[in-house]
Amino acid sequence: MMELTLGELARRLGGELIGDGEKVIRGLAGLESAAQDQLAFLANSKYEKLMETTSAGAVIVSANYAGPGANLIRCADAYFAFREAMMLFHGFRKHPFRGVDARAAVAASAKLGADVAVAHFATVCEGATIGDRTVIYPGVFVGPGVNIGDDCIVYPNVTLYDGTVIGDRVILHAGTSVGHDGFGYATHKGDDGVTRHEKIPQAGWVVIEDDCEVGANCAIDRATMGATILGAGTKLASQVMIGHGTKMGKHCLMVAQVGIAGSATVGNYCVFAGQVGVVGHIRIGDGVKVGAQSGIINDVPAGKDILGSPAVDLSEGLRIVATTLNLPKINATVKKLAKEVEVLKKQGKRD
């Protein structure tokens, strides 16, 4: 078990220590569950009330925090400081195997870089290239001509179809499929009078640029022509669907169950909350933030915060939500007024 004094922790995190620099910390936990030898963090003001009751030995807080706490580490970015503390005490997952397992199927024409790890029952097809120090877990399928960069991690049962290009330091979580055919069909009435959906060949590929992370059970279509692109640093949560020919910018965040239809263009630093849906062939500008369960059906200018289905400006979307929640009362009021109008009409006729 790792141990660090608060003084050493503050130094490594680049923070200002308020309290006992000799106190020993042996791990991290949340404010509600932390013990006297554990470090917690406060990065969201709505949890500030827990500072009065926490048993944590110390808490990472923002530089302007002015509330209670005997042992504090003030940091310019409390959440990032927590990340750095997690790195100190835990680091990332250690991979349980090294080298190329004899039970892996690796084509003779595949090229493996230095210190590559390929686990049992993984398949690496003809002409594939895997960069230095990349780790391939059991059950992974690396298709013909796939190019994977350095320092990547491909977790169990990921499928990389032919021609897929993966940059450096990319993480692909279990069950994800990259480069399968896009949803492309031409609806046509044949000579026999029967209308059918005829499959369009999907001749493109997928490019996932450096430092991306793709969650479990995601689906990223290959383009009909050209490339479907995930920009550098973009992160997808689990069960995200990216349609064929979509161009996504750099450092975007896509929360679980986001679905983006084909040929959409998404700018840099966009954030889509859970279950957002996007129609195809539209453009979304840089820095757009989208509330959960929104549906985007039109182009969105850069810097907008939007909400709703169809999505509108955040302020208008919040008013719509508030009004919707009051619909039962509004309905009752309308019925009451309608009855009163009928009474007045009858009274008017008698008069």
Side-chain angles (χ1 to χ4, degrees):
M1 181 181 294
M2 185 176 183
E3 294 184 355
L4 288 172
T5 66
L6 272 180
E8 178 65 11
L9 258 175
R11 186 185 69 79
R12 294 202 189 189
L13 299 179
E16 176 193 2
L17 175 63
I18 307 296
D20 180 8
E22 298 304 313
K23 185 173 182 61
V24 174
I25 298 296
R26 298 184 176 87
L28 290 91
L31 282 168
E32 290 182 287
S33 60
Q36 276 293 320
D37 63 349
Q38 292 179 310
L39 178 69
F41 75 100
L42 176 67
N44 188 325
S45 59
K46 77 177 185 178
Y47 297 112
E48 191 168 322
K49 60 185 178 183
L50 296 176
M51 291 293 290
E52 299 176 0
T53 57
T54 185
S55 297
V59 183
I60 298 169
V61 296
S62 61
N64 59 359
Y65 173 74
N71 296 311
L72 305 174
I73 300 177
R74 298 183 186 275
C75 298
D77 186 336
Y79 197 52
F80 183 73
F82 161 72
R83 183 264 182 197
E84 296 293 270
M86 286 291 293
M87 290 294 295
L88 285 172
F89 280 94
H90 298 285
F92 293 119
R93 182 180 290 108
K94 304 296 188 293
H95 306 298
F97 53 88
R98 300 180 67 181
V100 179
D101 194 287
R103 294 167 293 177
V106 180
S109 60
K111 297 178 181 178
L112 308 186
D115 300 319
V116 164
V118 182
H120 53 286
F121 307 133
T123 300
V124 182
C125 292
E126 297 81 6
T129 301
I130 300 177
D132 297 346
R133 299 172 300 281
T134 284
V135 179
I136 306 294
Y137 270 75
V140 169
F141 176 81
V142 180
V146 168
N147 192 321
I148 304 175
D150 298 341
D151 300 299
C152 294
I153 306 170
V154 187
Y155 282 108
N157 302 318
V158 168
T159 299
L160 303 177
Y161 279 70
D162 50 295
T164 295
V165 178
I166 307 292
D168 297 334
R169 300 172 301 281
V170 170
I171 301 173
L172 303 173
H173 286 279
T176 280
S177 176
V178 180
H180 50 267
D181 284 359
F183 193 68
Y185 300 89
T187 301
H188 175 70
K189 188 173 184 178
D191 294 339
D192 58 1
V194 178
T195 298
R196 298 180 177 87
H197 306 299
E198 302 289 355
K199 185 176 178 65
I200 299 171
Q202 302 294 292
W205 62 94
V206 173
V207 175
I208 299 179
E209 295 181 352
D210 296 348
D211 301 301
C212 288
E213 184 164 1
V214 177
N217 298 318
C218 292
I220 304 174
D221 292 352
R222 75 194 305 116
T224 306
M225 298 177 290
T228 300
I229 299 174
L230 255 61
T234 284
K235 319 294 185 186
L236 309 186
S238 298
Q239 297 182 320
V240 171
M241 165 65 198
I242 306 297
H244 57 173
T246 289
K247 305 290 190 293
M248 185 171 293
K250 302 177 188 300
H251 302 289
C252 293
L253 297 175
M254 302 285 126
V255 183
Q257 298 183 351
V258 164
I260 300 179
S263 300
T265 300
V266 179
N268 302 318
Y269 292 97
C270 291
V271 179
F272 292 7
Q275 297 185 333
V276 166
V278 181
V279 302
H281 304 277
I282 64 170
R283 301 185 68 87
I284 298 171
D286 293 347
V288 170
K289 295 181 176 64
V290 188
Q293 296 188 328
S294 295
I296 305 176
I297 61 173
N298 295 304
D299 291 354
V300 181
K304 287 283 188 180
D305 292 354
I306 58 177
L307 175 69
S309 187
V312 294
D313 283 346
L314 178 61
S315 57
E316 183 179 357
L318 291 172
R319 287 196 297 271
I320 291 170
V321 170
T323 302
T324 302
L325 293 174
N326 284 312
L327 280 178
K329 291 181 180 179
I330 294 171
N331 186 52
T333 300
V334 169
K335 287 182 177 179
K336 180 183 177 183
L337 291 172
K339 289 179 181 178
E340 292 177 357
V341 168
E342 288 301 316
V343 170
L344 291 171
K345 283 182 178 179
K346 290 176 182 178
Q347 183 177 338
K349 288 179 180 179
R350 287 196 300 268
D351 292 344

